[in-house]
Amino acid sequence: MNASTDRIERKILLHAPRAKVWRALADAESFGEWFGVRLQGQRFAPGQSAQGYITYPGYEHLLMKVVVQTMQPERLFSFHWHPYAVDPGRDYSHEAPTLVEFVLEEADGGTLLTVTESGFDRVPAERREEAFRMNSGGWDEQVKNIARYVG
């Protein structure tokens, strides 16, 4: 496993209390608002799946599916998903998913959020590089989105 190709990590200081950041992550509807996915009427719970259509222009036909792994209040929220699963004609279910982790820590001025997506080395070779590149750029935008949401 090569850390430089297997994982994406972003850190951001959010100028909001940890409880507010936790709600933005752990409440499915709130998560959907800043992340850009329709999750109305759903709840996140360990071992359970959640899904909704993407709301970003040009991607509305895509269904995002996650399986929640861990929920440690105000500390850790994680889920598995298939990265950059954008071909509606492809069955991604046989592929190993990546793990997305959101870690919250107290910090001067707010909450330090670390977002890590790992497991890209297990993505099929023919789509690994593009999935890594697209999700890397996606996490750049998503940390800005949650900062605006909790700001």
Side-chain angles (χ1 to χ4, degrees), residues 16-61:
R18 199 155 59 164
K20 185 174 185 179
V21 175
W22 176 252
R23 281 190 303 276
L25 292 168
D27 176 78
E29 291 186 11
S30 297
F31 183 96
E33 287 179 29
W34 66 265
F35 197 85
V37 62
R38 289 189 187 97
L39 294 172
Q40 289 83 358
Q42 296 187 57
R43 295 179 52 95
F44 287 146
Q48 300 296 310
S49 61
Q51 64 182 28
Y53 283 96
I54 305 294
T55 61
Y56 283 110
Y59 292 91
E60 299 94 341
H61 64 289

Side-chain angles (χ1 to χ4, degrees), residues 80-95:
H80 279 115
W81 71 352
H82 294 287
Y84 200 59
V86 297
D87 181 351
R90 182 172 180 156
D91 178 10
Y92 297 94
S93 64
H94 66 281
E95 295 182 11

